[in-house]
Amino acid sequence: MTQSREIRLRTRPVGTPTAANFEVATTEVGAPGAGEVLVRNRFMSVDPYMRGRMYDRASYVPPFQIGEVLQGGAIGEVVESNAEGFAPGDLVSSFFGWREALVAPAAALEKLPRQANVPDQAFLGVLGMPGLTAYAGLLEIGQPREGETVFVSGGAGAVGSVVAQVAKIKGCTVVATAGTDAKCDWLRSRGVDHAINYRNGDLLGQVRAAAPKGIDVYFDNVGGEHLEVAIEVARPFARFAECGMISSYNDTEPSVGPRNIIQVVGKSLRIRGFIVSEFASLRPQFLTDMMGWIADGRVAWEETIHDGVDTAPEAFIGLFSGGNTGKMLVRL
Amino acid sequence: MTQSREIRLRTRPVGTPTAANFEVATTEVGAPGAGEVLVRNRFMSVDPYMRGRMYDRASYVPPFQIGEVLQGGAIGEVVESNAEGFAPGDLVSSFFGWREALVAPAAALEKLPRQANVPDQAFLGVLGMPGLTAYAGLLEIGQPREGETVFVSGGAGAVGSVVAQVAKIKGCTVVATAGTDAKCDWLRSRGVDHAINYRNGDLLGQVRAAAPKGIDVYFDNVGGEHLEVAIEVARPFARFAECGMISSYNDTEPSVGPRNIIQVVGKSLRIRGFIVSEFASLRPQFLTDMMGWIADGRVAWEETIHDGVDTAPEAFIGLFSGGNTGKMLVRL
């Protein structure tokens, strides 16, 4: 038997999650049965969308259950295989994060190619779900054309940082927001034309100054005031890729909606929400493009790593105060 | 010389327009010069979008100017022609409404075919700009499929009433709102499945009861609470055709935005504002389809007619309190 520590949902968060909403438990993982594989996780992902699954409500994924282990993306190594195509030492990804070890049917695992120039955990970030989210949302919904202006909020996050760099690759002027000067410096080092620290206030004024002719594409990770500002500075026919609204995830009262929503009509704006699963078919093209851009040095990334499964709750909670630059990960 | 009374913008409205914002003036219209045509208007249109042009701000059409004659759709008869292709008695449409007579270059006029089964003024309504707005917004943006549920606000208005009937033609379940029981009765007589009087309160409850499985398409003429309700009951991947937000046109304070805007992400909603001019190329197909549906009795319409150019301001103001069933017109 293999011992595995895991994180369970102890209580549903009200407002911003706290450590008390989670508990660590130790379980025993048995030997893999026929067609199964024993995996020891090496990295697990914490992502803002997981907050939504902590509410008890119907959504595009079912809610987490009290007392049960949480779920999320993870990568690990095969320890023991009872399934064709998997051998000890193989790198695999699964949706069985928030735990140290697991036994799963082969169909629930994906074997990953080890890349010479990228660490394995990139498959949880720039080469994984956040990377595909950025790629698909920007290119399929945003449809940026050379010379246009792309505005991205949460620009130093796992998704936003890829959006910003891919927009530069596509020949756009890029305006990105982040919550610290250090994050803004990183964005500028990646070629972002205008990096704005939204904590300095007057977001509308700062964005207007950066994009005096307006924006053509808005990639939204933040919602709230950022969305209202984007509507205000949008040019006619601007495209909004609504990926997330982290500023509202912990709201206990209804949010204030964008007060200038009426401009959607007069400016013929196109506002489109999406979940990355809609674009799963783009994954092969995404991986080809992204590996090429990484090899060329045109896409780089940052990681913020916590150590030990017991630190997963604090890593997750840190997402809501901007505790991460780039991808937030837990090393197991 | 021909005498012509016309309506000028006297002052910019603050909040709901009043009669004091307008003035009647008499001008003299000369004989048509080379390439010009003298037209006596028979009907002029008043439309909600004109309120936007009364603000002094940049938009998709320039603002009306104080002291100058207003503009808008009109149909009239050629009185005297100095241009090839136009003869006295011809029916023409122009953008020179809010006046009794005009001289214009031939290029600014469109000769209309007189139809046996429709009155001339239908070219300002079901066969004109409002009809094309409904047709293009519903079919191109809403993309309704047979068996889906279409929700339309302002369902008894010039645009909404066409949306509701075309959605029925396309095999959809239709939920429409209007502001009087008489308007709701008319909608039911046209085959609308669920006609809701929004003045009865609990709009969300009424719409939920009418569409317990949610809506696939929302055609918005109203904005405000209607938009918030539509987001709340939208099914995943629902399409929103944002045609207008009449509930906010007279706001003197910023509107309250939809407080549930975050659902745009989780439900992958597609919200798209539009101006009918974007779809001008659909006009031939629209006219063919609409004339066919009228001939088949599948599309009918109501008109609310005021008499005399001096009544145009009150006709226009009446739009904001639901004073019209169907197309609001002024007979000249």
Side-chain angles (χ1 to χ4, degrees), chain A residues 99-184:
Chain A
R99 71 202 78 184
E100 293 175 318
L102 58 120
V103 162
L109 302 173
E110 184 184 13
K111 205 164 142 176
L112 296 173
R114 283 204 162 85
Q115 299 293 312
N117 59 343
V118 292
D120 295 343
Q121 68 270 24
F123 285 102
L124 293 176
V126 68
L127 289 175
M129 180 275 284
L132 179 57
T133 300
Y135 177 92
L138 176 65
L139 301 182
E140 294 294 309
I141 298 177
Q143 305 259 342
R145 291 181 284 265
E146 195 176 337
E148 288 191 329
T149 297
V150 173
F151 177 39
V152 53
S153 56
V159 174
S161 60
V162 176
V163 170
Q165 294 174 85
V166 174
K168 286 309 303 174
I169 290 169
K170 297 298 177 183
C172 297
T173 297
V174 176
V175 180
T177 61
T180 70
D181 288 344
K183 291 178 183 179
C184 288

Side-chain angles (χ1 to χ4, degrees), chain A residues 255 259 269-271 273 278, chain B residues 255 259 269-271 273 278:
Chain A
S255 311
R259 292 164 296 178
L269 302 184
R270 294 147 191 234
I271 299 181
E278 181 184 344
Chain B
S255 312
R259 291 164 297 176
L269 302 184
R270 295 146 190 233
I271 298 181
E278 182 184 344

